[in-house]
Amino acid sequence: MLGAGPAAGTAPAPGAGPTGAVIGEAVLTPLGGHSARGSALVEQLPDGTRQVVITLPGQQLTGYREVWLGSADLTRMVSLGVLGQGSQAFVVPGGLDLTAYPVLDVSDEPYDGDPAHSTDSLARGKLSLRG
C-alpha cells in the first residue's frame, strides 16, 4: 500500500526503536529572516547505521522543509529527506563521509518539482563530530 510506511531515507521516530551512541551534534540557528532554532544529533545505531535526529519547531512556510548535509563551502549537498513536525530521524547514506559534509541545513522548498536546494535556508549548523 502506498504511503503506509516511513518516507524513504527516514528512520523510526526517536523513542520508537533503539537509539545508539551520539557521535555528533549541531545547533541549528535561523537564517534569512527565519526564526526557528533547533538541534541535531548524529547517532550510531548498534547495526552500524548512522542517523541524524533533527528537532526544529515548525513555522509558516511557502513550501516544505527539506534536510540537507553540505560540504563546508556548500558547493556539494546531499538531501536526507523531508522534515515533518517535531523531532525526526534521517538515515545517513552508507559511505557518506560526515567530515566532508559537516554542514546541516534545513531549507524551505517550493512545490516545483526541482530536486535542487531552493537557496532559502531556514536554519543551519555545523556538525561537531566526536571521536
Side-chain angles (χ1 to χ4, degrees):
M1 169 188 258
L2 290 176
T10 62
T19 58
V22 174
I23 60 170
E25 58 191 320
V27 174
L28 302 175
T29 56
L31 295 168
H34 298 287
S35 60
R37 295 180 182 278
S39 62
L41 292 177
V42 181
E43 297 178 333
Q44 178 112 24
L45 301 178
D47 67 0
T49 303
R50 296 169 299 161
Q51 67 180 13
V52 177
V53 181
I54 307 286
T55 303
L56 187 68
Q59 66 181 70
Q60 190 168 6
L61 304 172
T62 59
Y64 59 93
R65 302 187 304 172
E66 189 162 359
V67 177
W68 304 82
L69 286 172
S71 59
D73 62 3
L74 296 177
T75 59
R76 295 172 291 139
M77 299 190 86
V78 174
S79 173
L80 296 183
V82 176
L83 178 61
Q85 298 299 316
S87 294
Q88 189 169 336
F90 298 87
V91 173
V92 176
L96 184 72
D97 181 359
L98 290 176
T99 61
Y101 290 86
V103 177
L104 191 89
D105 182 274
V106 179
S107 63
D108 181 4
E109 295 294 326
Y111 295 103
D112 61 3
D114 183 351
H117 192 290
S118 68
T119 71
D120 184 9
S121 293
L122 303 169
R124 185 179 297 151
K126 184 172 182 185
L127 291 172
S128 173
L129 299 172
R130 301 175 186 167

